[in-house]
């Protein structure tokens, strides 16, 4: 079964305090949903139209599990905490195997 991945690139961070509150709640939601964070805010080199900002990569055992974690009540609470504190490109992608 192909794995599922959350890929999130932050275009701008306007409120670091909201981001910090989101990070605490999101980490709990990811763990509860069975996700494993592989990258979060480390060094980035962007090419083409890429953005060299904070990037987050989270792996789940399946695409469906990744979607369920994103839709969970715990993650929705994290999104409320973030609100307008950042603009980001968030997507869920299916792995190749």
């Amino acid at each position: 079964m192909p794995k599922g991945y959350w890929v999130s690139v932050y275009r701008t961070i306007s409120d670091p305090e909201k981001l910090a509150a989101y990070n605490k709640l999101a980490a709990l939601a990811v763990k509860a949903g069975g996700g494993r964070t592989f990258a979060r805010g480390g060094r980035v080199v962007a090419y083409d139209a890429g953005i060299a900002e904070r990037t987050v990569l989270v792996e789940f055992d399946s695409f469906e599990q990744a979607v369920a974690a994103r839709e969970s009540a715990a993650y929705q609470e994290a999104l409320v905490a973030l609100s307008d504190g950042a603009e980001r490109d968030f997507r869920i992608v299916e792995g190749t195997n």
Side-chain angles (χ1 to χ4, degrees), residues 4 12 35 46 59-60 62 64 77 83:
T12 61
E59 180 185 68
F60 292 86
S62 71
E64 293 75 18
E77 183 181 351
S83 65

Side-chain angles (χ1 to χ4, degrees), residues 13-15 18 25 32 58-59 66 79 81 92-95 97:
I13 298 170
S14 57
D15 190 330
K18 287 182 179 180
L25 294 170
V58 179
E59 180 185 68
L79 289 176
I92 299 173
V93 298
E94 184 176 56
N97 51 340

Side-chain angles (χ1 to χ4, degrees), residues 2-96:
K3 295 185 184 225
Y5 296 89
W6 285 8
V7 181
S8 184
V9 177
Y10 289 69
R11 297 180 188 282
T12 61
I13 298 170
S14 57
D15 190 330
E17 290 180 9
K18 287 182 179 180
L19 179 61
Y22 162 84
N23 286 340
K24 288 179 185 177
L25 294 170
L28 295 172
V30 165
K31 185 176 181 181
R36 295 166 298 283
T37 302
F38 287 136
R40 184 179 57 218
R43 298 187 315 167
V44 175
V45 176
Y47 295 96
D48 303 324
I51 300 170
E53 284 291 339
R54 177 183 175 87
T55 302
V56 179
L57 176 64
V58 179
E59 180 185 68
F60 292 86
D61 289 336
S62 71
F63 181 81
E64 293 75 18
Q65 187 180 18
V67 170
R70 170 64 172 78
E71 294 175 355
S72 72
Y75 191 72
Q76 296 308 304
E77 183 181 351
L79 289 176
V80 169
L82 179 60
S83 65
D84 62 351
E87 177 188 0
R88 64 194 186 135
D89 177 353
F90 181 96
R91 61 193 65 210
I92 299 173
V93 298
E94 184 176 56
T96 57

